[in-house]
Structures are given as C-alpha cells and as structure tokens.
Amino acid sequence: MLRENLPAIPDLADLELVAAVAQKAVCVKQLLRDVARDYAPAVFANSLGAEDMVLTDMIWSEGTQIGIFSLDTGRLPAETYELMARAERHYGRRLEVFAPRHDAVQDFVTGFGINGFYDSVEARKACCHARKVEPLQRALAGKQAWITGLRAAQSQTREKLKTVSFDSVNNLVKISPLADWSEREIWVYLRANKVPYNALHDRNYPSIGCAPCTRAIQPGEDVRAGRWWWESADTKECGLHRRPDGTLVRASAEANVGEAEVKAPSGAGRSQIDETKACGLHLVDGRLQRIAKPGVEA
C-alpha cells in the first residue's frame, strides 16, 4: 500500500465512511470480548502505532479484560515515550512495560557495535532479538492469546495476514483484529474517537519503531519504506512475527484461520454466532473459533 498524507484529509466529512468504520469497530470489539472470554489470560502487544492506539481505545474504553503491554527497546523516539505518558493520562490506566535484558544488549553492543544494526541484516536481527523478541517472549509467558495491530495492507510480508492463527513459536493463539482494515479506516476511527496518537505520524512517519531504524517517507512510497530503509523489502520484519524456522509468516489466501486444527469453543451461543456472522469477520462458522495446539484437543 502506498502512503497518502492521511492525517491531513478530513475523512470525517464522509458520513458513509464514518458509519462503515463504526460498524467495523463493533465487530472488532465483539471479537476482543470473545478473546477475553475464551482465551484468558490474553494480552495486547501495543507498539504505540496508529493501529495499536485504535485497539488500545477499544480495549480500555470498553473495560475488556485484556492486558496491554509495550516493549521499551531503550531506543524509541521521544515522541513515542510522550505518547505512552499521554495515553496513560487519557485513559487513567497504566501500560505494562517490558525492557530488554541488560546483558543481552551489552552482548550485542560488544559483538556488533553501538549502531552495528546498519552493517548487516544479521546484526540488525540480533539487535531486534535482544531489544524486542526476548522481551516479547517474557511478556507472553503464561498467556493463552496475544493480540496485535497488524494489517494486511502494511507490507508485502503481511499481505495475506490471518485474523486468527496459532503462533507455534510462542505456543499461543495470535489475533489480528484489524487485519482487513485500511489505513484510511484507522485514521477515521482515531479522529472520530479523539484517540491520542504519535506526533510523528503528522510528519510522514506511517510506521514507527526504534529511532535509529525509522525515518519519514516521501509521497508515493510504501507505508513501511521508512523502516530499516537500507534493507530489501522482503527482510523488513523484526522477528516478532515468524515461524519456528525463522521464515516470515505469510498466511494462506484461501482461509482466514491458523496453521493448527480449528475447533469450536464449548458454550457458543446462537445470538453470538449470528452477531459475529453479520460483522463479516471471516472466521470459521462465523465466529471466533478455539484453535487447538498441535496434538492437543481444544
């Protein structure tokens, strides 16, 4: 997807679009309630991007029983830390923050140099592992499901993203409720609900990670062009969304379900099934399904 200057466009004047986004939001909130009910404890990994602020608003405003955490890599932009504080004030809630282990960061710096991630893909992935992947593993320990703000339109590595899948790397269910949302829909939701967002978005930063690895992009560039811009597009993931063999996760185009066997949860009510069918979540039998771990009945 190519980047437009979306924050400056008055999309709220398009009442049909606003209504469509509101209906999609109803569906996502129902999905989040289903996750909280069927996969407790569930957590949302909030990277503080525009999509993640949409989900933060849906979870905290509705009081859904899903924990929210962020990864502080130690090299985030000042604007991201400011957003953390502003979001906590806005919602009256506290983010759980996970930092990298000191020894892991020290080992990276010793082996590759303070900015060694510019020198090779191997070095960059090693930095991402120390600062993001290992802290994520700690944050997900003991959880049944984790929620992400991934969207299929964000990059070629995510273009066939599933809404619900089984993450065999972290051994839990992975939910991407905004998988089929467009960037325009994200911004309509943010504006309509007065959700705080990162000030860098207004400076042509559609995708924001660590400060040394993120830059503004030019009109017409892909939305992920500013992330690890010195690498080829097919390596532009940090390692948070990978299979056990290290390959990027690319979903099947034919199904919007996970790699593992899918089972219906017990106690599914007809009213819930009908409501979710109407939302168009594209899940098996029209509602969130329980996904079995390999070799285990759900």
Side-chain angles (χ1 to χ4, degrees), residues 75 101-117 119 123 126-127 130-131:
R75 301 203 68 170
R101 293 190 352 250
H102 172 77
D103 60 330
V105 173
Q106 185 66 51
D107 287 346
F108 170 79
V109 172
T110 299
F112 294 99
I114 191 67
N115 284 339
F117 41 80
D119 296 335
C127 186
R131 295 182 182 275

Side-chain angles (χ1 to χ4, degrees), residues 123-144:
R124 198 271 296 166
K125 290 180 179 179
C127 186
C128 286
H129 189 276
R131 295 182 182 275
K132 299 176 73 173
V133 177
E134 190 281 330
L136 176 75
Q137 292 170 344
R138 281 188 277 120
L140 297 180
K143 303 303 188 294
Q144 294 298 310

